[in-house]
Amino acid sequence: MRGSYRSGVWLGDLCPRPVNLRGVTLLELLVVLAIFATLLTVGAPSFAGKVGEWRSRAQALRLLSAINLARSRAIGHDSTVTLCPGHPATKSCSGLYSDGFYLTDGVGGVVQHYPPRQQIAVWNSAGTREEGRSLSWRGDGWGSRNMSWLFCPLGGGTHWAVVVNRLGRPRVVQDWGVCPP
C-alpha cells in the first residue's frame, strides 16, 4: 500500500517517493562526444554525395513533369507546345537547361516556367556539351526528335537522365550516359 498517514492526513500520491537521480560524469560525456564526432566524420562525405544525387533526381523529375505537361497540352489543345531552355524573358527559346526551362504554346505564350536548381549541370548524353536544344510536341503527341538530358551533380556522384523517344514519351533513368569530370 502506497502513501502514509501522518497527523491525520493521508499523503498517498501527493508525495511521490524520492528518486535516486544520478548525473552524467564529464568523462562519459566526452566519450559520447568523441564517438559522435567519429561517426560524423565518416558519414558526412557519403551524405554529401546523397544530397547531390537527390538534387539530380529532383531536377530530372521536374523535367519529366514539364515534358508530360507539354505532351498532354499539345494533345489536348491539338497544337504545338515547345520545351525551351533558359528563361522566358529572352523570348528566343535559347539558353541552357542549367539556367532553367519553360514551356511555350503555339502562339508564343509561356505555359509554365521552371527556375534553375543550384549545383546541377544539364548535359547531353555523351557529356560533350551542356544541353541547350529545344523540343516540341505536335497535336498528335509526337515529339520533334529523340533527346536526352543528363542531370549531373557538381562534384560527381550518381546522376539521373531523362530520355525522350521520337514518339514523345519520356522516361527517367539512373546513371545513363556520361557526366563530364
Side-chain angles (χ1 to χ4, degrees):
M1 182 170 179
R2 287 181 61 191
S4 65
Y5 188 77
R6 290 193 187 157
S7 9
V9 177
W10 174 256
L11 298 176
D13 290 331
L14 297 176
C15 296
R17 288 184 243 168
V19 178
N20 185 10
L21 298 176
R22 182 174 173 257
V24 178
T25 66
L26 181 61
L27 180 62
E28 291 170 333
L29 182 63
L30 289 175
V31 168
V32 169
L33 285 176
I35 292 171
F36 180 71
T38 303
L39 290 175
L40 190 62
T41 304
V42 170
S46 66
F47 183 72
K50 279 293 183 193
V51 169
E53 177 185 343
W54 295 333
R55 285 183 178 150
S56 172
R57 185 166 190 256
Q59 186 70 344
L61 292 176
R62 285 179 72 217
L63 182 65
L64 178 69
S65 172
I67 290 170
N68 286 329
L69 176 61
R71 188 166 189 250
S72 170
R73 189 170 174 106
I75 294 169
H77 292 267
D78 194 24
S79 65
T80 300
V81 177
T82 303
L83 174 66
C84 296
H87 194 276
T90 61
K91 299 211 184 259
S92 64
C93 204
S94 64
L96 297 172
Y97 284 93
S98 298
D99 299 329
F101 48 92
Y102 61 100
L103 298 175
T104 62
D105 56 17
V107 294
V110 174
V111 175
Q112 181 77 33
H113 174 239
Y114 298 85
R117 296 286 184 192
Q118 299 300 319
Q119 299 184 357
I120 298 293
V122 185
W123 293 82
N124 65 348
S125 61
T128 56
R129 70 175 188 286
E130 286 198 72
E131 191 58 75
R133 297 175 294 161
S134 62
L135 181 61
S136 297
W137 285 265
R138 299 186 318 224
D140 60 3
W142 277 65
S144 58
R145 66 167 64 112
N146 292 332
M147 198 161 165
S148 58
W149 297 262
L150 267 83
F151 295 91
C152 303
L154 300 180
T158 302
H159 61 276
W160 291 82
V162 176
V163 181
V164 177
N165 64 18
R166 182 68 173 90
L167 294 174
R169 295 184 184 149
R171 62 189 168 107
V172 176
V173 185
Q174 183 177 2
D175 285 334
W176 189 84
V178 179
C179 282

